[in-house]
């Protein structure tokens, strides 16, 4: 029977080793939740890196056996591959370019060659597990070449590709020395999905100008085959976030944190440490807010969680220093013996703590410079069981296309951000609740399960349509 194989850079598990003991913790990411019920069914499989460099053959065998029991199959990467493929080409070339930070992009032939070799490694791992009739769903920018590599080996298989980060406009994408190879890699798919219509348009325009294939209603007809490009805005596991927010334990935590914070109003900011998330710009806006609205001193606290990420990459180290310095400066300037304007945490927290933070925040401040979708803003909305609270959201996040009931801002417009913080803090409850209700209705309906079934249904439709195109 045909099966589904999911392929992503990382497996939905955190593998850890302590005192020679291996432990496996399920990952809490949205993708793992959304696809969790599918990859565990029957012979379905998830292929990816388990998150740890393991060189010993015996240990690799042990991990493979353990993971196989959970319908997962590991691809082992060496330290050099992690450095050049993951930290290097994926996070120092593609990530900045795709988030419109081309000035940060590194163009290095050696990194590219390792990227090609590692994509080939994933291809070999998939081919070893796949039958000719299987459906393969490839995820994200680390594996852009994989669809074509797979197509060559498994010409009849069904291949879907979804990109979780933005696709930049042609003028930015064309800066990459390997632009054509990257597009050709993606074109091996039957269906290519993005979060937004704009990302999809940018991709089609690059394909047209760099590879020479036009498109009609998202269909690209190459000399050998046809494929579809479409947008699939990713949702969250709504029940998980609203359910967690309803737990007694979470309500208790909220009460404790609130009484410890000593602020009438709480503004919440949560992101991975990343320059694309606009953390420094957000701090600048908050500083200007404190300067312009002294009546909020000792009343408002910005609760800022920054989750450590990619700390081996130079730009991320620099950003960490910049954020540390800014928080210190602002707190140094405005703190009072019983009040800190910013409570800053550089670590990650369990879901229950996160949920208590979502519950207690009066304002969710989500202001990325660029974001494929952004799930934090959706989780904030889903956690607002009493429907009180205001979301300030960047226009540059994919989520802004769905959440028009948020206060939408341009993260480069510092005055607009300052005004929005003020308006959010003084918004009448009635109005807050109306906007929150509208957003909740939409997120409840377009949840992660809806996203998975939309993508899978469209993929089946493409295969049927291809047959009729081939015979007409
Ligand atoms: C990429 C794209 C796109 C954060 N801190 C903690 C924690 N988190 C969880 C959040 C949320 C996730 O991490 C972050 O997701 P985002 O979507 O906001 O951002 P990226 O990591 O950049 O994700 C993005 C996404 O892929 C999906 O396609 O939306 O645009 O960049 O779920 O809750 N979770 C826990 N503790 C923390 O401290 N447990």
């Amino acid at each position: 029977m045909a099966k589904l194989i999911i392929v992503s850079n990382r497996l939905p598990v955190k593998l850890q080793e302590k005192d020679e003991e291996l432990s496996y913790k399920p990952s809490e990411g949205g993708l793992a939740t959304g696809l969790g019920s599918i990859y565990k069914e029957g012979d379905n499989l998830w292929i990816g890196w388990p998150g740890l460099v393991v060189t010993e053959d015996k240990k690799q065998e042990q991990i493979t056996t353990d993971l196989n029991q959970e319908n997962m199959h590991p691809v082992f990467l060496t330290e050099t591959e992690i450095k050049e493929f993951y930290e290097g080409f994926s996070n120092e070339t593609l990530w900045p370019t795709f988030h419109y930070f081309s000035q940060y992009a590194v163009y290095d032939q050696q990194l590219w060659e390792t990227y090609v070799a590692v994509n080939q490694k994933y291809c070999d791992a998939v081919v070893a597990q796949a039958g000719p009739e299987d459906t393969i769903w490839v995820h994200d920018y680390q594996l852009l070449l994989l669809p074509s590599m797979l197509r060559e080996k498994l010409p009849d298989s069904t291949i879907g590709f979804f990109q979780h980060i933005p696709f930049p406009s042609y003028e930015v994408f064309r800066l990459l020395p390997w632009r054509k190879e990257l597009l050709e890699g993606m074109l091996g798919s039957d269906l290519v999905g993005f979060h937004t219509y704009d990302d999809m348009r940018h991709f089609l325009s690059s394909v047209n100008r760099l590879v020479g294939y036009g498109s009609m209603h998202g269909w690209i007809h190459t000399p050998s085959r046809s494929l579809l490009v479409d947008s699939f805005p990713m949702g969250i596991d709504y029940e998980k976030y609203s359910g967690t927010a309803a737990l007694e334990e979470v309500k208790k935590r909220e009460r404790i944190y609130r009484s410890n914070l000593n602020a009438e109003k709480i503004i919440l900011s949560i992101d991975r440490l990343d320059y694309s998330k606009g953390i420094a710009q957000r701090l600048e806006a908050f500083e200007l807010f404190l300067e312009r609205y002294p009546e909020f001193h000792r009343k408002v606290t910005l609760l800022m969680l920054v989750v450590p990420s990619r700390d081996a990459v130079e730009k991320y180290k620099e950003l960490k220093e910049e954020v540390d310095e800014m928080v210190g400066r602002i707190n140094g300037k405005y703190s009072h013996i019983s009040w800190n304007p910013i409570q800053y945490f550089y670590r990650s927290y369990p879901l229950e703590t996160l949920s208590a933070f979502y519950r207690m925040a009066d304002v969710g401040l989500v202001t990325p410079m660029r974001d494929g979708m952004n799930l934090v803003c959706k989780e904030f909305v889903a956690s607002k069981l009493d429907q009180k609270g205001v979301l300030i959201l960047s226009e540059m996040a994919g989520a802004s296309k769905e959440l028009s009931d948020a206060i939408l801002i341009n993260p480069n417009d510092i005055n607009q951000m300052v005004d929005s913080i003020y308006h959010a803090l003084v918004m009448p409850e009635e109005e807050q609740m109306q906007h929150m209700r509208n957003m909740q209705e939409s997120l409840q309906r377009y949840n992660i399960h809806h996203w998975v079934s939309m993508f899978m249904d469209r993929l089946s439709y493409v295969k049927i349509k291809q047959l009729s195109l081939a015979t007409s």
Side-chain angles (χ1 to χ4, degrees):
M1 215 180 76
K3 61 180 178 297
L4 171 68
I5 300 179
I6 296 156
V7 198
S8 63
N9 170 47
R10 288 284 295 263
L11 281 173
V13 72
K14 285 185 222 151
L15 172 59
Q16 278 160 349
E17 190 177 19
K18 216 177 157 194
D19 306 327
E20 296 281 301
E21 271 296 301
L22 290 166
S23 67
Y24 304 85
K25 257 179 70 186
S27 124
E28 289 146 343
L31 195 61
T33 320
L35 297 170
S37 53
I38 302 189
Y39 83 88
K40 287 181 187 146
E41 275 169 26
D43 289 336
N44 292 353
L45 201 60
W46 195 319
I47 297 179
W49 182 52
L52 201 69
V53 173
V54 183
T55 42
E56 239 177 275
D57 284 351
K58 247 184 112 194
K59 211 171 267 168
Q60 289 194 356
E61 274 167 34
Q62 176 64 48
I63 294 169
T64 307
T65 311
D66 292 347
L67 290 174
N68 282 173
Q69 282 167 9
E70 303 292 322
N71 286 21
M72 285 184 266
H73 191 82
V75 176
F76 292 104
L77 300 178
T78 65
E79 220 148 290
T80 311
E81 285 169 339
I82 289 296
K83 230 176 151 34
E84 297 184 352
F85 151 78
Y86 177 69
E87 289 160 11
F89 198 78
S90 299
N91 288 333
E92 287 190 298
T93 307
L94 295 178
W95 180 275
T97 306
F98 282 29
H99 286 85
Y100 293 79
F101 282 86
S102 291
Q103 72 277 21
Y104 293 174
V106 170
Y107 306 130
D108 181 325
Q109 186 64 22
Q110 175 61 42
L111 301 186
W112 162 251
E113 281 166 19
T114 308
Y115 183 80
V116 177
V118 173
N119 270 252
Q120 192 59 55
K121 200 167 182 176
Y122 277 82
C123 177
D124 297 343
V126 175
V127 170
Q129 304 292 328
E133 302 286 297
D134 286 346
T135 294
I136 305 163
W137 190 1
V138 180
H139 288 267
D140 231 1
Y141 63 103
Q142 300 92 351
L143 301 174
L144 296 177
L145 304 177
L146 186 54
S148 281
M149 290 175 169
L150 288 169
R151 179 65 60 203
E152 215 183 299
K153 295 273 159 62
L154 302 163
D156 295 326
S157 61
T158 303
I159 305 174
F161 174 83
F162 187 81
Q163 175 150 313
H164 292 261
I165 66 172
F167 195 93
S169 89
Y170 163 69
E171 286 300 334
V172 172
F173 183 74
R174 71 191 293 210
L175 299 172
L176 288 165
W178 310 276
R179 57 206 184 177
K180 207 161 166 245
E181 290 89 331
L182 290 166
L183 292 177
E184 282 165 349
M186 296 168 82
L187 290 173
S189 320
D190 294 300
L191 175 64
V192 176
F194 298 96
H195 282 304
T196 70
Y197 176 75
D198 287 336
D199 294 329
M200 162 191 151
R201 249 176 6 96
H202 292 151
F203 173 73
L204 290 173
S205 150
S206 283
V207 169
N208 188 12
R209 302 180 76 165
L210 293 165
V211 194
Y213 300 146
S215 64
M216 179 92 91
H217 306 303
W219 280 95
I220 298 174
H221 304 287
T222 76
S224 55
R225 34 192 300 284
S226 301
L227 66 143
L228 182 66
V229 183
D230 209 343
S231 64
F232 302 87
M234 187 173 171
I236 56 164
D237 185 350
Y238 194 91
E239 303 306 322
K240 173 173 143 190
Y241 286 94
S242 60
T244 308
L247 296 174
E248 274 316 313
E249 164 64 19
V250 171
K251 290 187 200 164
K252 193 173 122 204
R253 284 190 201 197
E254 182 199 355
R255 279 195 299 274
I256 298 171
Y257 299 152
R258 206 174 245 291
S259 72
N260 286 345
L261 265 184
N262 197 23
E264 275 173 34
K265 297 271 183 186
I266 294 161
I267 301 175
L268 179 66
S269 137
I270 301 182
D271 332 73
R272 266 187 317 100
L273 180 76
D274 203 298
Y275 47 81
S276 65
K277 302 288 184 184
I279 302 171
Q281 292 80 353
R282 192 177 313 154
L283 281 169
E284 241 175 79
F286 187 62
E287 184 176 21
L288 191 57
F289 168 81
L290 291 172
E291 191 184 312
R292 290 209 182 138
Y293 297 96
E295 64 269 34
F296 281 100
H297 292 185
R298 302 202 209 171
K299 293 205 172 98
V300 173
T301 287
L302 172 65
L303 175 58
M304 193 170 91
L305 253 70
V306 177
V307 181
S309 165
R310 306 178 192 169
D311 39 22
V313 178
E314 199 49 44
K315 275 279 166 238
Y316 290 73
K317 285 187 209 156
E318 289 171 21
L319 178 63
K320 165 77 171 43
E321 277 170 28
E322 188 186 357
V323 170
D324 285 355
E325 190 274 327
M326 286 181 86
V327 173
R329 183 165 47 76
I330 301 168
N331 274 345
K333 190 162 157 195
Y334 291 105
S335 278
H336 182 264
I337 201 84
S338 59
W339 172 71
N340 272 333
I342 305 169
Q343 291 279 353
Y344 166 46
F345 303 93
Y346 179 67
R347 69 192 88 137
S348 69
Y349 282 99
L351 179 63
E352 289 69 25
T353 307
L354 210 64
S355 179
F357 289 164
Y358 284 142
R359 274 185 65 101
M360 76 180 185
D362 300 281
V363 178
L365 189 56
V366 184
T367 59
M369 310 312 285
R370 221 28 98 160
D371 219 331
M373 171 54 69
N374 191 290
L375 301 179
V376 167
C377 61
K378 294 187 169 184
E379 294 164 6
F380 168 74
V381 170
S383 309
K384 288 295 180 199
L385 303 186
D386 63 1
Q387 294 170 333
K388 285 182 219 151
V390 182
L391 174 64
I392 300 178
L393 178 60
S394 164
E395 288 167 20
M396 312 302 166
S400 67
K401 305 286 185 287
E402 295 164 85
L403 299 176
S404 53
D405 270 85
I407 301 183
L408 296 181
I409 56 101
N410 173 354
N412 297 301
D413 187 342
I414 187 164
N415 288 312
Q416 189 194 26
M417 270 205 269
V418 171
D419 290 349
S420 304
I421 293 174
Y422 175 76
H423 282 122
L425 289 170
V426 300
M427 187 184 283
E429 270 185 10
E430 240 355 54
E431 200 181 328
Q432 296 180 24
M433 291 168 82
Q434 185 55 50
H435 289 306
M436 199 55 85
R437 232 190 323 269
N438 292 345
M439 293 192 281
Q440 288 183 343
E441 270 170 26
S442 140
L443 294 183
Q444 207 158 2
R445 178 195 271 220
Y446 300 109
N447 62 19
I448 184 73
H449 307 292
H450 179 268
W451 178 77
V452 171
S453 63
M454 284 294 286
F455 191 91
M456 296 311 287
D457 289 353
R458 198 66 54 88
L459 191 51
S460 315
Y461 160 77
V462 171
K463 286 314 263 192
I464 295 166
K465 189 84 184 166
Q466 281 171 341
L467 282 177
S468 70
L469 284 169
T471 50
S472 67

